[in-house]
Amino acid sequence: MTSSTSSTSTKSTSSAHANKGFRTSCLNCRRRKIRCDSQRPACTACLSSIVYGDCEYAAEGGTLTQTQCLEEQIALLESRIQRLEDPTNPEGAVFLTDPYAPHIASGPSQLRPDKLSAPARDNLIQIALQHRTEIGFFLDPKRFLGTLTTSDTNGRPLKALMSAVLLWGSHLSEINDAKRYEVKYRARAVRDTAQGLASGHPQAVMHSIQAEILLAHYFYRQSRFVEGKYHASVTVSLALSAKLHKIRSIDGPSDVPNATSLPPPPDAVEEGERINGFWTVFMLNKSWAAADDSPSPFQCTFSPEARIDVPWPLEIESYAQISRSPQFRTTSTVHKFLEHQHDSGTSALALHAKAAVLYEQASRAASTYRPGMSQDQASRFFTFYNDLQTTIDDFSTKLPSPDTAEAVVTHALVHAAIVDLHAPFLSQNPASRGRLAASMRAMDTLIRTVDIPAFTIVDSIIGIIWARSCEVLIREISSLRGAARNEPLRILKSMLTVMDKMKTRYSVIKEHVSKLRDVQALGVLGVVAEFT
């Protein structure tokens, strides 16, 4: 009786809520913790997002949505795969062989990473380190390689780090036999990173940060955004709790230890690894926070605890050649950059980090603008807007030559910052339209003069940047008539052509090329026909 009454009460409450017009946020907006307008079939926030395109609402009556059902099935399948791949489980283990490679010895150890020959393993490590900049490997590569052969167990890399490096090596390898290990190393890397801090390893914190960065880049490259963001978020938590943002702070070291507190670095190289580790985390977070319109935990603030005081990074090889006095201190590193103060951040990593800051700041500014702001709000907004434009203009004169994959991404981030900053004002401000045109020409020049598809790997954020820029360009084309369309159409075709060349190796680019070439998704009749 009580149960029946309770059930009836619950149903009536739910019905009352529905009758009173209570709005239910979609699942994406709930995860992102942002306001949802509850529009059906897709809310405005999901429609305007490059990453969160699938909008779903929780089904009534407590049933699972299609996404939740799929996630449940995936979890069950992944669990089953792990059991099947476990070499210690002889009853469930399944080992695959290549029927077209009879010269390779067959047997159950063939796909067991623990049985991989030393030369094959070393080859995978070398492949990964050849592209260390693009995959976010910030540790000193010479020191890392030196630890592989040490007899001291505590001196070797953390297990999670080794799994993540070998995952990238197998992923980037052009040898089919090596690529077959990728799924195995992915499962191992995910499992090992979850246990990294509990290992008792003397480098557990820094090696865990490095492993999580490698996994974040890997999953972003696969268009597995939820997993990528999860691992990226872990790096932020570890970096902040280890107080990497306070290295060489004018406030001095913290007197409050915690579980991830680090002892003083024994030498300049290890301190350099920590500095570069922070900026790699910072850069990853800022770029993808802007891409998916999520808040960044790294704020440009004067709050002593949150303020970023760590010096700008150097090339990792440079730390062994410098000797910094114990009195060398820095403060408000990012804030000073945004205020146009001169600094020493000229390394490739520093320039990349600065470009990521500008991209995130421009994206954030554009999202906060609202027509009909009060006079005070508008005054504060355009003061910030003009200051940011000045910083972008000044930084644009210091960009490196785009002869490396990292430099190409740095250029792309700056161009994207200009596009995002001026996109809201194209219909009402001729100056913004001129800025957009100049930025698109610069992006087109970059694409035509640098053979970007020839790079083995480029940071996957470039796929998001290009997709968003193409969407802005398409909207601009739709507002033009006659010959005024010719140049933007040519630039759009150029961007889509290079994305087409890269889509087979980048899931994130393939996904967005498909969307951009879909007339209904674009909502711009007649434009697609002109550039296809």
Side-chain angles (χ1 to χ4, degrees):
M1 184 73 176
T2 304
S3 175
S4 174
T5 304
S6 174
S7 176
T8 304
S9 174
T10 302
K11 289 179 181 178
S12 64
T13 302
S14 175
S15 176
H17 280 201
N19 291 336
K20 289 180 182 179
F22 281 81
R23 296 189 305 178
T24 302
S25 297
C26 74
L27 298 180
N28 280 336
C29 289
R30 288 185 189 178
R31 293 190 190 103
R32 298 165 67 190
K33 296 181 180 179
I34 62 174
R35 186 185 297 274
C36 181
D37 61 13
S38 302
Q39 293 296 315
R40 306 293 180 107
C43 73
T44 303
C46 288
L47 284 174
S48 62
S49 173
I50 290 291
V51 177
Y52 296 94
D54 298 324
C55 184
E56 281 194 325
Y57 292 85
E60 296 180 1
T63 59
L64 297 177
T65 66
Q66 182 182 7
T67 297
Q68 290 169 328
C69 290
L70 288 172
E71 287 174 345
E72 245 187 32
Q73 293 178 35
I74 289 170
L76 289 171
L77 288 171
E78 286 182 338
S79 175
R80 177 59 178 155
I81 288 170
Q82 287 183 0
R83 288 199 302 272
L84 291 174
E85 290 178 334
D86 187 357
T88 64
N89 180 12
E91 294 182 2
V94 173
F95 302 98
L96 305 178
T97 58
D98 183 358
Y100 299 103
H103 60 284
I104 299 177
S106 61
S109 65
Q110 186 174 331
L111 288 181
R112 289 172 56 180
D114 53 328
K115 296 296 183 180
L116 192 65
S117 69
R121 171 177 162 274
D122 292 345
N123 183 55
L124 294 183
I125 294 171
Q126 289 293 344
I127 290 172
L129 294 184
Q130 283 172 12
H131 306 287
R132 59 184 180 275
T133 301
E134 292 75 32
I135 66 176
F137 190 91
F138 61 79
L139 297 174
D140 184 292
K142 290 183 180 179
R143 286 199 173 187
F144 175 76
L145 290 172
T147 63
L148 299 179
T149 56
T150 180
S151 57
D152 179 12
T153 305
N154 285 333
R156 295 175 188 166
L158 187 70
K159 189 177 180 181
L161 175 54
M162 281 303 304
S163 297
V165 170
L166 290 167
L167 166 64
W168 267 108
S170 58
H171 175 69
L172 295 174
S173 174
E174 296 181 356
I175 302 173
N176 289 333
D177 204 42
K179 291 184 75 66
R180 290 185 297 158
Y181 287 95
E182 184 176 343
V183 173
K184 185 71 173 180
Y185 281 127
R186 182 173 63 219
R188 279 198 173 190
V190 171
R191 180 194 65 199
D192 293 343
T193 50
Q195 304 167 357
L197 292 179
S199 66
H201 193 284
Q203 291 287 344
V205 173
M206 293 308 298
H207 284 194
S208 291
I209 291 174
Q210 179 65 93
E212 296 284 3
I213 287 173
L214 295 175
L215 279 176
H217 276 291
Y218 174 84
F219 284 118
Y220 278 137
R221 180 175 167 86
Q222 303 295 321
S223 278
R224 294 167 66 165
F225 297 114
V226 174
E227 292 154 290
K229 193 160 188 69
Y230 165 75
H231 291 286
S233 298
V234 174
T235 69
V236 173
S237 298
L238 290 174
L240 291 178
S241 61
K243 298 192 179 298
L244 298 187
H245 62 305
K246 291 297 180 183
I247 296 174
R248 293 282 180 167
S249 171
I250 198 170
D251 296 332
S254 172
D255 296 327
V256 184
N258 58 58
T260 53
S261 293
L262 298 174
D267 55 36
V269 174
E270 188 162 324
E271 182 181 59
E273 289 181 328
R274 296 180 186 183
I275 292 171
N276 287 21
F278 170 79
W279 287 111
T280 304
V281 171
F282 177 89
M283 188 169 58
L284 177 67
N285 172 266
K286 284 291 185 183
S287 299
W288 285 96
D292 64 16
D293 302 314
S294 61
S296 168
F298 296 117
Q299 301 298 324
C300 302
T301 175
F302 283 111
S303 168
E305 282 301 311
R307 189 182 65 225
I308 296 172
D309 292 339
V310 59
W312 288 112
L314 306 175
E315 304 300 343
I316 193 65
E317 299 81 8
S318 301
Y319 289 105
Q321 303 165 13
I322 64 171
S323 178
R324 282 174 170 165
S325 164
Q327 285 70 46
F328 172 74
R329 299 288 168 180
T330 54
T331 186
S332 304
T333 311
V334 176
H335 197 274
K336 288 180 176 178
F337 164 64
L338 292 173
E339 289 194 335
H340 326 300
Q341 296 186 34
H342 176 73
D343 60 53
S344 59
T346 58
S347 68
L349 179 57
L351 295 175
H352 192 166
K354 289 178 177 181
V357 171
L358 295 176
Y359 177 48
E360 188 263 347
Q361 291 283 296
S363 176
R364 199 72 61 229
S367 66
T368 58
Y369 173 75
R370 297 288 182 275
M373 283 179 166
S374 69
Q375 186 173 356
D376 181 58
Q377 289 175 324
S379 175
R380 281 187 279 114
F381 172 83
F382 283 107
T383 297
F384 173 75
Y385 174 91
N386 291 326
D387 283 346
L388 182 57
Q389 182 60 66
T390 300
T391 305
I392 293 174
D393 289 343
D394 178 61
F395 182 69
S396 297
T397 65
K398 302 171 184 175
L399 287 174
S401 174
D403 51 7
T404 66
E406 183 173 29
V408 165
V409 174
T410 300
H411 278 257
L413 286 167
V414 174
H415 299 326
I418 297 172
V419 171
D420 277 13
L421 188 62
H422 291 278
F425 311 104
L426 294 178
S427 62
Q428 53 191 310
N429 188 350
S432 287
R433 181 164 280 175
R435 289 276 190 177
L436 174 70
S439 179
M440 288 297 185
R441 289 188 195 107
M443 204 176 292
D444 180 51
T445 299
L446 178 69
I447 288 172
R448 287 188 292 103
T449 57
V450 180
D451 188 6
I452 300 175
F455 290 117
T456 302
I457 179 173
V458 181
D459 189 336
S460 299
I461 192 65
I462 203 165
I464 303 293
I465 289 172
W466 283 345
R468 287 176 67 151
S469 297
C470 283
E471 288 185 349
V472 173
L473 192 54
I474 288 168
R475 289 198 298 271
E476 176 68 357
I477 292 169
S478 68
S479 68
L480 300 175
R481 295 293 178 268
R485 281 185 163 202
N486 292 343
E487 184 183 36
L489 279 170
R490 181 187 60 75
I491 294 173
L492 183 61
K493 183 176 181 178
S494 177
M495 293 181 70
L496 286 170
T497 298
V498 74
M499 291 173 76
D500 266 331
K501 291 179 180 178
M502 298 174 69
K503 67 183 181 182
T504 56
R505 291 185 290 133
Y506 298 83
S507 297
V508 62
I509 292 179
K510 180 179 181 180
E511 181 179 316
H512 290 302
V513 167
S514 177
K515 287 182 180 179
L516 289 167
R517 290 197 179 278
D518 185 340
V519 179
Q520 292 181 338
L522 293 173
V524 184
L525 297 176
V527 173
V528 176
E530 293 185 58
F531 65 72
T532 52

